[in-house]
Structure formats: C-alpha cells, structure tokens
Amino acid sequence: MPPATKTGTPAVKKAAAAKKAALKGTGGKVSRKVRTSTTFRLPKTLKLARSPKYPRRSVPRVSALDAHAVVKFPLNTESAMKKIEDHNTLVFVCDVRSNKRQIKDAIKKLYDIDAVKINTLVRPDGKKKAYVKLDADVEALEVANRIGFI
C-alpha cells in the first residue's frame, strides 16, 4: 500500500501554485492604453543640464565696443554749438553698433558727465550722432571747455 499524501500541508499548496504559475503564467490580462489622437507625442523625460568636461572656448570674448570705440569724437558744428548754448546738450559722433546705454556709460567713463537723456540718429553718411542732454545744474558750455573742443 502506497504512503498516504497530505494535500493540506503548506509545502504541497506552494508546489501546486508554482506548477499552475509555470503552466498558465503570472502576467494575467494586460490592459492597453486607449489612444485618442492619431499623432504620437514623445513623453517628456528628464533633461539634465550640460556639464562639459572642458570649456569649448579657451578665452572669453572681449567686447569690441569699449568706451573709446563707442564715442568717436564730439561734434562742434554751428548747430551743435547752438544745442550746447540753448538746450544744454552735447553732440557726439558714435559707433553705429552702439546703443543709448553704451553711449551713456562711455560718456560717464570718458568725461565724467551724468547724462539725463540721450537721443540718437544715423546720419545719411552712415555715422551715428548722439545728443547728450545734461542735468540743469551742469553747464554744457563748461563741460565742452573742459573736454577741449571749444
């Protein structure tokens, strides 16, 4: 007579479950995502900041427009002199690529003048002209004499 098997022990139950898992599989039914659009959009993933191993440029670029390049020379034509006397405004010829902020900083650095307002225009010959309006307590005539173009 063969030995009696115990069907209720945990080891037998575990072995039966392993047999069933091997035969049928454990995945179960996989539900697919319902797509509502015909175009596939790539999912947004983590974008890390670049950390280069060496700098691609050995020396940083130096700006070609320093104070001496921005302001070329003061203008002393008749109309410029009239601006100095009547409107407390100095007139300079500047680099065409410079903007009003650069002109203001260059005039501050070169001539120690605080400009209230700067108007610019590009002349027909291609040069940029800057009208530098000075504060009421600073005389443009005195500044022009100090610069040395009167």
Side-chain angles (χ1 to χ4, degrees), residues 4 8-9 15 21 28-29 34 39 41 43 58 66 70 74 92 127 149:
T9 61
K29 184 163 185 183
V34 178
T39 55
R41 297 282 184 184
S58 60
D66 62 330
V70 169
F92 293 94
K127 294 179 179 151
F149 73 91

Side-chain angles (χ1 to χ4, degrees), residues 2-121:
T5 57
K6 299 178 182 173
T7 55
T9 61
V12 174
K13 285 184 180 176
K14 193 172 182 184
K19 179 183 174 187
K20 183 181 174 192
L23 291 172
K24 290 183 95 176
T26 57
K29 184 163 185 183
V30 178
S31 62
R32 293 213 173 243
K33 182 185 175 195
V34 178
R35 299 205 177 266
T36 56
S37 174
T38 56
T39 55
F40 175 74
R41 297 282 184 184
L42 201 68
K44 301 286 185 275
T45 56
L46 180 67
K47 291 185 175 82
L48 294 172
R50 290 185 177 191
S51 55
K53 299 209 177 352
Y54 64 93
R56 295 299 190 261
R57 182 179 298 281
S58 60
V59 179
R61 283 187 178 171
V62 179
S63 175
L65 289 175
D66 62 330
H68 295 280
V70 169
V71 176
K72 292 183 177 174
F73 55 89
L75 209 61
N76 58 356
T77 58
E78 274 185 49
S79 60
M81 300 311 274
K82 190 167 173 60
K83 283 271 186 196
I84 289 172
E85 293 163 5
D86 296 346
H87 302 291
N88 204 33
T89 301
L90 294 172
V91 184
F92 293 94
V93 173
C94 302
D95 193 288
V96 181
R97 296 167 295 174
S98 60
N99 58 32
K100 291 182 182 183
R101 286 187 196 88
Q102 289 171 332
I103 293 169
K104 190 174 188 175
D105 293 340
I107 286 172
K108 171 81 173 156
K109 184 178 176 187
L110 293 174
Y111 305 117
D112 296 321
I113 304 169
D114 282 326
V116 174
K117 182 180 180 183
I118 293 182
N119 290 331
T120 58
L121 62 91

